[in-house]
Amino acid sequence: SAPRKELYGPENLIGDAGTLQSQYALLSASLEPLQEWLINTDISLEKTQWIISQVHELHGMQEKFSDNNAIKSAFSDAVKLNFGLGEDNTRAVASVRATLEFATHIHSKLRFKPLSDAVLAIETSSQYSELKSNGHPYRELWDAQKSALAKFENETALDLDKWMRQTDTTTQGLISRNEKAISRPEWLNGWVNYIRIRNEMEASGLGRIWTQVNSGQLDVDQTQNAMHLAIFDQLAREILTHKPRLAQFSGRNQTARQNTFRKYDHKLKQLQQERIASVVAEHNAPSGRAGGRKSEYTEMALLKNELSKKTRHIPIRQLINRASQTLIELKPCFMMGPMSAAHYLRPGQLEFDLVVMDEASQVKPEDALGVIARGKQLIVVGDPKQLPPTSFFDRQDMIEDEDSAAIAQTDSILDAALPLFKMRRLRWHYRSQHQSLIAFSNKNFYDNDLVVFPSPHAKADGFGVKFTYVEGGRFVNQYNVEEARIVAKAAAEHALNCQDESLGIVAMSSKQREQIERALEEECKADPIVADAIEQLRSRDEDLFIKNLENVQGDERDVIYISFTYGPGEVGGRVFQRFGPINSDVGWRRLNVLFTRSKKRMHAFSSMRAEHVEISPTSKRGVQALKNFLHYAEKGQMGGAAIHTGKPPDSDFEVAVIDALHIQGFACEAQVGVAGFFIDIAVIDPGRPGRFLMGIECDGATYHSAKSARDRDRLRQEVLEGLGWNIRRIWSTDWFSNPMGELDPIIRELHRLKTEPAYDQQSEKEEEPQYAYTPAIVEIGKEQELSEMVNQTGSLKIQLEGLADSLIASTFPDTPKDERFLRPAMIEALLEHEPVSRSEFTEKIPYYLRNATNKKEAISFLDQVLDIIAGVEQPEVLEKDHEVNTASNVLFQI
């Protein structure tokens, strides 16, 4: 226990041999090396502890450095590193750092491997000094080479990394590549020119074009177009900068203004009518004499008295003479013929502010003078290229003789007024809903001066000019029985299938007109359904008419049938060259009237073809026009040239729109039209190439050439829409700023309007079905059988029955009996009418028979049946695997 007390006693803690004294001695010994470093004697124990930890870390790094054999071998002799608090190792550390940087440069940046290997092989400082002294001349050469390289890089835009990658990184590889380049100095010249051009393009602001070409995104052949695009784009932007109002233009706002203008223009017309009615209503009609005898009543008193009567009215002439001023106040517009005006209006009794004479080409000057004398101003309206007045109109009860009627022609008031007064030409023609209906007259009679609006139904069956040749027609006693019968049957078919279209029939003589009327009556008697359909046509606002050539001026109908009447005196005989009024000096005017009556379709029936009409240099203009029209109706051409030749786009703007639509899958035609007016872009229906889906107008020449805002922004578009067009407009400023924004709504509408290519071909309304004709593909084993059927001498009925029972039945075994092509009912119809062409088959065979026939059988064997009827030699039979040229197929009606 005693030792324990001594151990923990005070003397053991603070004595000379105590614990504190021994710890102090140990700390002093430890801090003795730091006494000179620790100048500040007031340093805290915490700071002292941090210093000690730093010293300890330095000691560890010193031991690590001393134990590194690589460092010892590299620096032990060249660099003396003295460790301790008082040692200065700045120079030694700098030397070590420089050595390390040099080694890093040798390994990573010195790409010349032989030099790097030579440097790394140095073992002594003397070897390095020798290498260094030998390197000074090379350095000078190297600096010169670097200067030349920098200049070369600057002049040639050299990519040194790409140049070096083409070598094998050896001196010999670099030398080989350089020698190859030196041996081709022309390459360098071409390259320098290439760089010079690039620099010039960049300096001119065309660097993007160079980049596109260099990257392969732009073909070299398109660089000029690209440059033009850049130039024009810049010019356009400069124009927009100099004309800020143009930059503010909005197509949608302009379209809204157009719509507002159309609305107000229509409203203005209505208000003008209301204003006229209001002014008339404010007029105070004279009361007149009301006392005394009623025979002495005048003006309003007379009118009231006559209105109170139920019978025994006074004659119209007396009424007008005694109440003329009241009638003028109540009805300031009178519509009367020249003869009626002379009969009812007493000279000097009434005077009009304005006299308008319509259809003036048929008014004789002596008949017009009385009306002219009753007015203060005169407007004469007529067409000098239509019918003149003739003596035929003087007596309606006379026996008609076309030749004598044609001779007795006089000048009209229109002819008399033309050289005396200023003429204003009305050039717009918008009656015809298809350009082919007016194309012939426009070319032959109006010198292509009419403005004809194109039709969206370019090749639709329901529009245009049709032709039927009546092979059995004969012209005897000024009429043609067979032709009248064919026309009557066609009229019956029209009444049954096209009730929504009005019909007019024109014959070349009154006798032919009467013959057509009798033939149509026979059709009605034979079939009550036809009779009802004809009666419905007659009850329309535009009722069915049958007129001769002299009476048809002023009439118009959707469809016009023309019976040309003239033909051979016997079947197959020569056509006698007498064509009634057409032979006269103004016979061409009659034809001009005839050819301009239809709005949708004109169907010519003729017992003669164009080649049957003989002309000479002395032939009358009417006869020449007759021959040319027959050729046009049958062939679809005038003078051997196509009617529509087409025109290129009017501007690059239109080209850009067409190209954009083509990318979207829509084919287009530019400048669609015939004469005077052309739609900029017409989009073709992919399912019906003969129809246009839409007309696109651009603000180009057609737009800014209009003489009035009404023509430009309302009337022309209304006429086109009345013809069936869907009209849309693209403004150039909108296209420039956002082409897809303009195109997208049009594309969506086109997809909504289009028909798919694979469809059952038929016209846009419910008409008779149309089929493409393809010759029957007959097996080789049946060739002789078919040839024998065509050439056998048996009766026609036996031949048709043989064809039906053998060849057709074996080719189409699954066809029901009541749908067979040559079923008994069809054979009876063929025997009765004996058609020898597809057009005659359509005209003569009743529709109900054709419609109930199996289409495949009819398409395949119709031509063979017609050949059997005609008794002609059968053409060479096609082999089974022979490919039919469908491009030569023609359309016919089953």
Side-chain angles (χ1 to χ4, degrees), residues 39 105 179 257 322 341 368 387 405 413 473 479 485 501 643 748 761 766 816 861 865-866:
I39 300 174
H105 183 82
E179 288 178 347
R257 293 190 189 99
R322 291 165 57 185
L387 281 177
I413 186 62
Y479 60 88
R485 187 176 67 85
E501 295 178 339
I643 301 171
R748 289 195 296 269
Q761 291 192 3
E766 290 298 327
F861 288 97
V865 169
L866 298 176

Side-chain angles (χ1 to χ4, degrees), residues 99-129:
T99 302
L100 293 175
E101 290 178 355
F102 179 72
T104 301
H105 183 82
I106 293 296
H107 282 286
S108 61
K109 296 185 178 181
L110 186 60
R111 290 175 294 182
F112 190 50
K113 194 172 184 303
L115 179 61
S116 63
D117 292 342
V119 173
L120 294 176
I122 295 176
E123 296 181 353
T124 64
S125 59
S126 59
Q127 292 177 346
Y128 176 75
S129 299

Side-chain angles (χ1 to χ4, degrees), residues 364 367 390-396 398:
K364 295 179 181 180
D367 296 334
T390 67
S391 61
F392 174 77
F393 296 99
D394 293 341
R395 292 181 57 194
Q396 296 295 330
M398 66 180 294

Side-chain angles (χ1 to χ4, degrees), residues 781-800:
K782 297 182 178 180
E783 177 180 350
Q784 183 64 30
E785 180 182 350
L786 179 58
S787 179
E788 291 176 354
M789 289 179 186
V790 175
N791 296 314
Q792 63 180 317
T793 58
S795 67
L796 178 59
K797 182 176 181 180
I798 293 176
Q799 294 182 56
L800 295 177

